[in-house]
Amino acid sequence: MKINWGKGIVIAFVLFISFILYFVMKVQTNHKYDNELVVDKYYQKELLLNGQMERQQNAKNLTEGIVVTTDKNSVIISFPKAFDYSEIKGKVSLYRPSSQKLDFETHISLSSPRLLIPKSSLADGRWDISIEWNYQGTNYLNKETLYL
């Protein structure tokens, strides 16, 4: 059998396509490569967008808002000093874009106008912090991006 240019190009294309398909199949079937969605129940979460925008606007309308800072050992979330901290309820969600396994939530239970989250429970890198809180019947939502 004689191989000319046409047959050589066809063979090269077939080998290249086989090579690509092999790696696509390997990534799809191997559980080591995580092919998860960014957020569980993405479409249901999208339907809640209007209420979320209203809560964010409530937070923007405050004269003194929430401040997120870090120190050596913790992430500090400071609530407005004008509010009675004992009446603040809600939750803080920490979302890690690179790994869903590191995401977690904590409920707001304050003994001072600040909430401390220890850095020992956070991996280095980017964290998206979502603070959903309620004060005297008004709902607020603050979102921050933090790099550790």
Side-chain angles (χ1 to χ4, degrees):
M1 181 174 153
K2 189 174 180 182
I3 298 179
N4 59 21
W5 283 100
K7 289 181 184 176
I9 290 173
V10 169
I11 290 171
F13 277 132
V14 168
L15 289 175
F16 178 73
I17 291 170
S18 300
F19 173 76
I20 297 297
L21 287 175
Y22 167 74
F23 281 107
V24 167
M25 294 303 291
K26 184 176 179 177
V27 168
Q28 292 299 320
T29 58
N30 192 342
H31 296 291
K32 183 173 86 174
Y33 304 107
D34 204 1
N35 298 319
E36 62 192 26
L37 287 174
V38 174
V39 177
D40 286 338
K41 299 179 183 176
Y42 174 79
Y43 294 108
Q44 287 86 354
K45 194 165 186 170
E46 187 68 26
L47 293 174
L48 302 173
L49 185 62
N50 284 342
Q52 185 179 34
M53 291 174 65
E54 181 180 319
R55 292 190 310 262
Q56 282 180 319
Q57 189 60 45
N58 289 343
K60 286 180 184 177
N61 291 340
L62 292 174
T63 56
E64 180 188 1
I66 286 182
V67 178
V68 178
T69 57
T70 61
D71 67 5
K72 183 179 176 185
N73 299 321
S74 59
V75 174
I76 303 164
I77 301 172
S78 301
F79 289 90
K81 292 181 179 117
F83 290 177
D84 180 13
Y85 61 83
S86 63
E87 294 186 32
I88 296 174
K89 304 292 179 218
K91 67 180 178 178
V92 177
S93 302
L94 286 102
Y95 167 73
R96 177 70 180 225
S98 62
S99 176
Q100 184 179 20
K101 295 174 182 107
L102 297 175
D103 296 353
F104 70 94
E105 285 185 354
T106 183
H107 290 282
I108 297 172
S109 176
L110 301 175
S111 58
S112 72
R114 300 183 323 170
L115 177 68
L116 300 176
I117 300 171
K119 278 188 177 178
S120 60
S121 61
L122 303 173
D124 288 343
R126 177 182 170 179
W127 286 92
D128 291 335
I129 300 174
S130 177
I131 306 162
E132 296 181 45
W133 56 291
N134 180 299
Y135 180 74
Q136 295 182 343
T138 305
N139 294 317
Y140 301 94
L141 175 63
N142 296 80
K143 292 187 174 187
E144 300 269 343
T145 300
L146 187 66
Y147 293 93
L148 300 178

